[in-house]
Amino acid sequence: MLIRPMTDADVPLAEGISDDAFFALDVANRLPAAPPPERRSASHSAAWEARTRGFLASDPDGCWVAVQDDEVVGFATSFRRERVWCLATFAVRPGLQGAGIGAQVLDAALAYGADTPRGMLAASVDPRALRRYHLAGFRLHPQLALHGAIDRSVLPALTGVREGDADDLAWMDDLDRAHRGGPHGADHERLLAAGRLVVTTDRSGYAYTNGRVMALLAARDEDAARTLLWECLASAEERYEIAHVTSANYWAVEVGLTARLDLVARGHLGLRGMDPPSPYVHHGALL
Ligand SMILES: CC(C)(COP(=O)(O)OP(=O)(O)OC[C@H]1O[C@@H](n2cnc3c(N)ncnc32)[C@H](O)[C@@H]1OP(=O)(O)O)[C@@H](O)C(=O)NCCC(=O)NCCS
């Protein structure tokens, strides 16, 4: 087994492993009432590759592959933003999992964050992943998700929100420093490309939404957080999803249940050197 830095040429191979691994995980964990899991769309794969190339450009020492018999069989991508290290994604080819490959490639990514006081990762439901993160010193906080058709009759009248733009990024980065120890910096570009940025007029919070999913929300207080989440719901399509909600963010559970979304438990937020941020709903890969 060779563990070496990821290169640009590895990105499509890593994307294929990621799609295979997460599809297999979804099939294995499908609830009886849930629709059958789907493979990644071509546009989703392209976005995954573009995001990974961004990590390679900004954090080449955080991105690693495992090679067996000249073939890439696993990878881990991670990045540092000032005082926080984040694991973006991590997978091993199905059929080769559970044999120690993940441990080795994750160790290489963890070493990149060794001097960073805080760490964040959004864990899948795979018990192998949870075991690895626990052994790496991460505390695992259960996550909730709210999803379903929005009851539009309960949407409140909102004031104090507007579209965000490039002039907002500096105070948004300060808010992220306060919540997680580091700014989103260049990651704002990726978030904006995938959706809409909404901010409070008094600069007390922001959220990214694409009409189907709330991607990220950070606020100074729960009133601002609730206002932003209601705005995301008001501008959503018929069905919406708010994932990655820790119990420290119960305000999001209250809003989602008021809008008649269904509440389920899904995955864990892994943290070291910090408590679950609040009011803050993290992004799955850009945390
Ligand atoms: C998570 C993943 C990357 C880990 O890689 P891996 O090569 O399987 O991991 P390892 O074999 O190094 O470690 C797995 C650990 O779980 C244990 N394990 C193996 N099979 C298991 C099972 N079915 N249930 C629980 N634990 C299991 C292993 O013994 C090992 O623990 P140990 O080191 O104490 O012996 C890989 O399983 C995967 O791709 N999963 C699907 C995608 C995913 O969930 N990625 C994580 C995203 S957050």
Side-chain angles (χ1 to χ4, degrees), residues 22 25 90-92 97-100 102-103 122 124 126 128-129 131-133:
F22 285 101
L25 188 66
F90 168 44
V92 167
Q97 296 168 356
S124 70
D126 192 332
R128 289 167 285 230
R131 188 157 177 78
R132 288 267 60 86
Y133 302 147

Side-chain angles (χ1 to χ4, degrees), residues 10 12 28 65 72 77 95 97 141 144 147 156 166 190-191 219 225 240 265 275:
D10 296 324
V65 293
V72 174
T77 53
Q97 296 168 356
H141 302 271
L144 303 166
H147 65 100
R190 291 169 200 143
L191 288 158
Y240 198 62
D275 291 325

Side-chain angles (χ1 to χ4, degrees), residues 95-106:
L96 298 177
Q97 296 168 356
I101 296 172
Q104 294 181 59
V105 77
L106 182 64

Side-chain angles (χ1 to χ4, degrees), residues 6 52 54-64 75-81 84-90 105-114 120-121 285 287:
M6 184 184 272
T52 302
F55 298 139
L56 267 186
S58 64
D59 298 78
D61 297 338
C63 305
W64 295 83
F75 70 91
T77 53
S78 70
F79 54 88
R80 295 189 305 219
R81 299 287 178 263
V84 64
W85 171 89
C86 299
L87 181 69
T89 185
F90 168 44
V105 77
L106 182 64
D107 277 352
L110 287 164
Y112 181 58
M120 294 181 87
L121 55 88
L287 286 321

